[in-house]
Amino acid sequence: MAQAVTVYRWDDPGAPQITVGKPAEYLDVIKKCLTTGYGSKQPLGWTVEDESLPEETPRLAIKNNVLDGGSGGVMMFSASNNNAMTAIRCQCALDYISKDEQQRLGGYFVIGAGSSGTNTANKWIVIASATAFYFIALPEDALTRNYFGTYSHILFFAGDIKSFYGDDPARFVTLFGRVNYGSVVWNGSLNYIIGDSFSGQVGYVYSLDSSLSKANSFLSSYFGNHSVNQSSIQSSTPEIRALCPILLCTGDYQLAGAGTHGNSETLPFARGEVPGLFVSQENGYRSANMPFIKNINGIDFFSVPRANSGGTNAWISLGDW
């Protein structure tokens, strides 16, 4: 069953703001978008499992909406202090007992403001359903182009994939650009893997038998290597004629390198589709203003900018997932 999607933005009336890049500012955005809403924007039924008191270091744990088909996976955020530009540690747990006890943990990654002034990643967008979300944050300096040019930014996915296995007990995942890496870097976000380093690991996936067994996860598409590096077309504005979904795969980004995972009954190579994420055969839109939204066959899509430079052929659907 398709999940309805809501888009939350920093420029919505009543939206929470990130001003200097404190961890509590980022956590307030995520909490309000998914659990409480703001202004006229309604929440999506995620619930707060745990959060810090105002006098404590920032911490937030949120669970997706089990009443609307969610797996009950929990996304956790924490920081060592609430100073501007302090990194936020992010990690998911399939089994969340308390802030001190979890099992079947995803790989951790960090997010943060990255820099100060107009280079602070504070213009945020959350694209979300009851079971999954993308968090995007870009600096003011990037609003006049559609690539990041190695400036700090944030783009990650957290939530349930569209598993090929209907009773998948481990479909809650996180997808990021550098797994188990503790610094905020320009090539650490998910868009770096999508657009520049398609063979890189994006996280972990756990076994279909609910055990603690896990394997590295990767992205793939029907286009094979979908990263396009053609400077002659990077600023073109083509119509989008062919879109294909992004697959979450186990062991490698291609079957030939995945070893025995193709035959595995517990950690199979092709696990499912990443909700809302597509790549097109057409590439361009480097010179568009960010965030760039394009209507494709009656549905709006968010253009995923390159972490470095060049055109893009990656899109996040703003329609139902």
Side-chain angles (χ1 to χ4, degrees):
M1 180 178 174
Q3 291 279 340
V5 169
T6 300
V7 180
Y8 306 87
R9 293 173 46 132
W10 82 95
D11 50 1
D12 288 333
Q17 298 297 305
I18 298 168
T19 55
V20 296
K22 293 182 177 181
E25 295 176 333
Y26 289 95
L27 270 54
D28 184 53
V29 167
I30 293 168
K31 177 184 175 182
K32 285 182 176 174
C33 291
L34 298 178
T35 72
T36 65
Y38 60 82
S40 63
K41 290 287 180 78
Q42 297 300 306
L44 291 164
W46 292 62
T47 55
V48 174
E49 295 297 290
D50 179 61
E51 63 181 324
S52 57
L53 297 172
E55 64 271 17
E56 297 177 324
T57 55
R59 185 183 70 254
L60 177 68
I62 55 172
K63 181 169 70 174
N64 72 1
N65 188 341
V66 295
L67 298 178
D68 200 10
S71 66
V74 171
M75 190 64 198
M76 303 177 293
F77 306 90
S78 62
S80 59
N81 60 64
N82 196 34
N83 297 333
M85 293 189 287
T86 294
I88 303 165
R89 180 184 169 108
C90 310
Q91 192 170 31
C92 71
L94 275 66
D95 309 302
Y96 185 90
I97 296 95
S98 71
K99 68 182 180 68
D100 299 314
E101 185 179 1
Q102 309 96 30
Q103 284 189 323
R104 294 191 293 170
L105 294 168
Y108 71 84
F109 58 93
V110 298
I111 62 172
S115 189
S116 59
T118 58
N119 293 323
T120 301
N122 61 359
K123 309 301 182 186
W124 58 267
I125 302 169
V126 175
I127 304 171
S129 74
T131 61
F133 71 96
Y134 294 88
F135 183 86
I136 302 146
L138 45 123
E140 182 179 349
D141 186 65
L143 294 175
T144 58
R145 61 180 187 269
N146 198 32
Y147 60 93
F148 286 107
T150 74
Y151 283 95
S152 294
H153 61 280
I154 303 168
L155 200 162
F156 69 85
F157 170 88
D160 293 350
I161 62 167
K162 297 169 67 176
S163 178
F164 295 147
Y165 304 88
D167 56 351
D168 190 336
R171 60 188 184 274
F172 195 101
V173 303
T174 52
L175 307 177
F176 201 63
R178 288 203 177 190
V179 181
N180 298 335
Y181 188 79
S183 298
V184 176
V185 289
W186 70 269
N187 56 358
S189 288
L190 178 60
N191 53 324
Y192 179 70
I193 299 294
I194 297 169
D196 295 280
S197 183
F198 68 97
S199 62
Q201 181 188 352
V202 291
Y204 295 132
V205 63
Y206 277 86
S207 176
L208 288 169
D209 64 5
S210 298
S211 71
L212 299 181
S213 298
K214 68 178 186 296
N216 296 340
S217 62
F218 299 82
L219 302 181
S220 185
S221 81
Y222 302 133
F223 293 147
N225 178 358
H226 49 261
S227 299
V228 178
N229 293 290
Q230 295 291 334
S231 59
S232 63
I233 61 173
Q234 64 184 6
S235 295
S236 62
T237 58
E239 287 305 311
I240 306 303
R241 297 167 295 162
L243 283 170
C244 74
I246 293 288
L247 306 180
L248 185 67
C249 297
T250 304
D252 199 82
Y253 71 97
Q254 55 184 349
L255 182 59
T260 61
H261 285 290
N263 282 11
S264 175
E265 294 184 358
T266 56
L267 285 166
F269 168 70
R271 192 59 172 262
E273 295 180 0
V274 180
L277 186 58
F278 296 84
V279 286
S280 61
Q281 69 176 352
E282 297 79 20
N283 180 277
Y285 297 100
R286 178 182 186 270
S287 301
N289 291 336
M290 195 187 311
F292 175 61
I293 310 297
K294 181 172 177 58
N295 190 276
I296 303 172
N297 294 329
I299 299 173
D300 284 342
F301 284 78
F302 169 82
S303 171
V304 178
R306 295 282 282 270
N308 190 348
S309 188
T312 181
N313 65 325
W315 309 86
I316 298 173
S317 173
L318 306 185
D320 292 354
W321 292 341

